[in-house]
Amino acid sequence: ISVHLARCPNLLNVDRERMIDVAWDEDSQITRSVKIMVVCRNEKGMLAVLTGNIHDSDANISNAEIKTIPDNRSLCTFEVEVRDIKHLKTIIDSLSKIKRVQKVKRVKGKVPFSYESAF
């Protein structure tokens, strides 16, 4: 069994009779791993602000990668454990409100290695 997004290009060649719709179980207490990319100013203490914000949103960070990119910015990739889509949206909205954060985006699939390919 493979699960794909509805807009996944791999579904173009799949027999429609072999497909079924799936969705997250809204009542489940299971967490799911989601990747979030953040572009922010490369400043002292910024990582602490970002990770503190994720913590305050009641999410666990299972992986993090920080890269310096042009124009004194950082490209931060966090893998966070979320309960559901609402929880994910809360985290993204909260990160977006941080001063010096320029962009926040959920990443599906392979993580891009540059700012240009990320956004």
Side-chain angles (χ1 to χ4, degrees):
I1 296 175
S2 297
V3 179
H4 297 265
L5 295 172
R7 62 182 178 273
C8 177
N10 293 333
L11 295 180
L12 296 174
N13 300 322
V14 174
D15 179 5
R16 297 284 178 199
E17 294 198 16
R18 298 187 67 208
M19 295 174 54
I20 60 169
D21 289 332
V22 296
W24 278 7
D25 179 1
E26 299 288 334
D27 298 326
S28 175
Q29 297 300 312
I30 298 171
T31 60
R32 292 143 182 99
S33 184
V34 176
K35 294 175 189 166
I36 300 173
M37 291 188 75
V38 179
V39 175
C40 62
R41 299 296 303 157
N42 184 16
E43 296 179 6
K44 181 178 172 181
M46 197 63 200
L47 179 59
V49 170
L50 295 172
T51 58
N53 186 280
I54 293 169
H55 171 268
D56 292 346
S57 296
D58 195 30
N60 183 51
I61 300 170
S62 57
N63 193 4
E65 183 176 344
I66 315 302
K67 294 181 181 186
T68 301
I69 58 175
D71 299 328
N72 196 35
R73 295 177 296 173
S74 294
L75 180 60
C76 311
T77 305
F78 297 102
E79 194 166 326
V80 297
E81 304 297 321
V82 299
R83 294 183 294 273
D84 53 31
I85 293 293
K86 184 179 178 183
H87 187 207
L88 174 60
K89 184 174 177 355
T90 299
I91 295 165
I92 290 173
D93 289 347
S94 182
L95 288 168
S96 297
K97 292 176 184 171
I98 297 173
K99 188 177 181 180
R100 300 180 310 270
V101 167
Q102 298 169 344
K103 297 221 179 208
V104 180
K105 175 184 175 183
R106 177 182 181 184
V107 179
K108 298 175 184 175
K110 202 169 193 176
V111 176
F113 288 100
S114 69
Y115 173 77
E116 290 76 18
S117 62
F119 295 93

